[in-house]
Amino acid sequence: MSTHRYDYSLLAHNSFGLDVKTKEFVEYSSVDDLRSFLCDRDCDRPLFHIGGGNNLLFTKDYEGVILHSGIKGFEVTGIEGRSVLVRIGASEIWDNVVEKSVEAGYYGLENLSLIPSEVGAAAVQNIGAYGAEAKDFIDSVEVVDLESGECGSFSNKECNFAYRFSNFKGSWRGKYAVTYVTLRLSLDYKPNLTYRALAQVAEENMDALALRNKIIEIRESKLPDPKTLGNAGSFFMNPIVDASKFKELQSEYPDIPHYDAPNGVKIPAGWLIDKSGWRGRKLGNAGVYEKQALVLVNVGNAKPEDIVRLSNAVCDDVKKKFGIEIFPEVNWV
């Protein structure tokens, strides 16, 4: 069954806490509901599909239809050797899925604990943290074509996952609604401690639940709760520079944090922003979070243009100081 609302505030559907509106809001609870809506809808109005709104910046009111999935489900669909396949509804809360998986003895997602996202959006964005990404566990993604209403499925490879990217953000942008995501998890627990900072705080013989709790502890110490301080988590992607640029930076900043990347060296954007003097600073009703410079926050009654202005100012200053361009991870609408 679908829910329709008109001239609807999206305040509860974006973690920045921006009071923007949409002409029409539709939430569907099944694939059939979605297909029925698509068959009958007014095609003159543009569509935009959202998840939990945790990685969105609405830059103004939306003059079309916002779609949101209400599809639930957590179902084991197969066991292959020491792997288990779990089919999950797109509107399930990602962290609930991590918790349920650990409790069931399905391992791999521990490092992705407490990332604010719904499952469908997690696949679109290829969320990641502490040396793991959603793509490492996604087996397939089920979709509905928003133009034809046809159902389909894409393999992990077809989604073309990369750092904070999938085809859903690229050539398929706006074409599909994700309905279900099938994850391939392990029946054997093997902690992922490749992330340097995590390896330093990990305890000996730490089980999956203890690792999950440690991740949660770290995240809560660094990132503000959107319910109390509007934000979209990490606002910028970490830039990747070539070896020569990194050597140039390292000669001036010997302690610069860095990580090897397939096509260069990854520099934490938060460090660049901090060194550019932005951590804890405000610009109007938007600011850079005092505990983590990678996070932009709504310090109270911010409008979309406040966040946009702050983002542009931060990017400009990082470019001037380091000669490096940083780009938002957050999707602008």
Side-chain angles (χ1 to χ4, degrees):
M1 184 175 181
S2 297
T3 300
H4 281 66
R5 295 186 175 92
Y6 298 91
D7 293 320
Y8 179 69
S9 172
L10 295 169
L11 184 61
H13 297 277
N14 75 97
S15 59
F16 262 119
L18 302 174
D19 192 11
V20 291
K21 292 183 178 181
T22 179
K23 288 289 185 185
E24 186 177 357
F25 180 84
V26 177
E27 183 174 86
Y28 55 90
S29 57
S30 70
V31 171
D32 287 343
D33 285 342
L34 173 58
R35 297 182 74 192
S36 294
F37 164 75
L38 294 173
C39 182
D40 297 336
R41 82 178 186 91
D42 178 358
C43 292
D44 290 335
R45 282 190 174 177
L47 288 177
F48 187 76
H49 200 292
I50 66 171
N54 299 292
N55 203 53
L56 292 178
L57 173 61
F58 284 101
T59 59
K60 59 182 178 180
D61 290 345
Y62 190 71
E63 299 295 324
V65 183
I66 294 291
L67 277 175
H68 181 252
S69 172
I71 295 177
K72 301 291 186 182
F74 184 102
E75 175 191 9
V76 173
T77 57
I79 295 178
E80 299 176 2
R82 300 302 295 166
S83 294
V84 58
L85 297 173
V86 188
R87 183 175 182 249
I88 302 166
S91 75
E92 292 285 356
I93 302 301
W94 176 263
D95 192 56
N96 292 350
V97 170
V98 178
E99 180 181 37
K100 191 177 291 188
S101 298
V102 170
E103 288 175 351
Y106 309 149
Y107 303 116
L109 302 179
E110 299 81 27
N111 292 36
L112 303 178
S113 292
L114 209 65
I115 295 179
S117 179
E118 292 181 359
V119 167
V124 170
Q125 179 72 6
N126 184 27
I127 59 172
Y130 302 107
E133 292 180 307
K135 71 172 178 60
D136 302 333
F137 310 101
I138 292 174
D139 184 80
S140 61
V141 179
E142 294 172 53
V143 300
V144 168
D145 188 307
L146 292 175
E147 186 174 340
S148 68
E150 293 181 0
C151 297
S153 179
F154 295 108
S155 68
N156 180 298
K157 186 176 182 180
E158 288 173 313
C159 292
N160 192 28
F161 290 116
Y163 174 57
R164 302 300 177 271
F165 178 83
S166 72
N167 275 345
F168 297 108
K169 290 182 69 176
S171 59
W172 299 345
R173 184 177 174 87
K175 183 173 175 56
Y176 299 107
V178 174
T179 54
Y180 290 92
V181 178
T182 295
L183 300 177
R184 181 181 293 271
L185 304 178
S186 178
L187 295 172
D188 300 314
Y189 172 60
K190 296 177 182 176
N192 177 358
L193 302 178
T194 55
Y195 191 80
R196 214 173 302 157
L198 183 58
Q200 292 170 355
V201 299
E203 298 167 10
E204 192 173 352
N205 299 321
M206 179 179 280
D207 64 16
L209 180 58
L211 178 58
R212 168 172 158 75
N213 288 337
K214 177 61 71 173
I215 296 287
I216 290 173
E217 179 185 323
I218 294 171
R219 288 188 67 88
E220 288 181 334
S221 70
K222 291 183 175 181
L223 303 172
D225 184 345
K227 294 173 184 174
T228 57
L229 192 62
N231 73 91
S234 299
F235 192 90
F236 299 98
M237 293 187 287
N238 295 319
I240 296 173
V241 301
D242 61 29
S244 62
K245 179 64 178 179
F246 174 68
K247 286 182 180 179
E248 175 191 321
L249 289 167
Q250 197 174 41
S251 66
E252 187 170 356
Y253 304 96
D255 62 343
I256 184 171
H258 60 280
Y259 306 92
D260 292 335
N263 53 343
V265 181
K266 185 182 292 186
I267 309 295
W271 183 88
L272 297 170
I273 295 166
D274 190 359
K275 290 295 183 182
S276 298
W278 273 103
R279 183 157 63 97
R281 280 179 59 190
K282 299 175 185 177
L283 193 59
N285 289 324
V288 177
Y289 189 49
E290 59 187 12
K291 294 182 181 180
Q292 171 53 272
L294 199 56
V295 179
L296 303 190
V297 295
N298 176 352
V299 297
N301 301 314
K303 297 185 182 303
E305 52 266 33
D306 294 326
I307 309 294
V308 170
R309 188 161 61 108
L310 176 61
S311 172
N312 290 339
V314 168
C315 290
D316 288 347
D317 281 0
V318 168
K319 179 79 178 291
K320 287 175 187 174
K321 185 172 182 64
F322 295 101
I324 295 175
E325 285 190 270
I326 58 173
F327 299 95
E329 173 183 325
V330 171
N331 297 304
W332 296 32
V333 183

